[in-house]
Amino acid sequence: MDDLISLLKNLGLTGKESKAYLLLVKSGPMLIAQIARETGVHRPDLYKVLPSLQHKGLVTIAPRGKQKRYVAEHPNKLESIIGAIKLDFDKLLPSLNELYDQPNKRPIIKFGLMVI
């Protein structure tokens, strides 16, 4: 479980988002009180976490009367997050290369493992 939380953090989710999403993937639709009890994340925090997961496309709400049940989207949705990261990286890389290749940089001479 810790490996999955680490992976989700690497994709940009917070620890609390990761815990809530994994619980919903495992358990199916849940009320916010159930999510709080199972994850140990305080309810006020979940009122921020769950909308954030909705915005990322990982959680939806399934209303049942006055109650809101939160439902995890299929884990394949994580690919869209990876795709967005890749697009951002592809846009940023030319600027980074340009900064790195600036002619006014001081020359660096490398000898084995030593950098001068």
Side-chain angles (χ1 to χ4, degrees), residues 45-65:
D45 291 334
L46 287 173
Y47 285 110
K48 296 175 187 171
V49 166
L50 293 168
S52 176
L53 288 171
Q54 279 182 278
H55 178 75
K56 293 174 182 175
L58 297 175
V59 168
T60 57
I61 295 175
R64 185 180 285 173

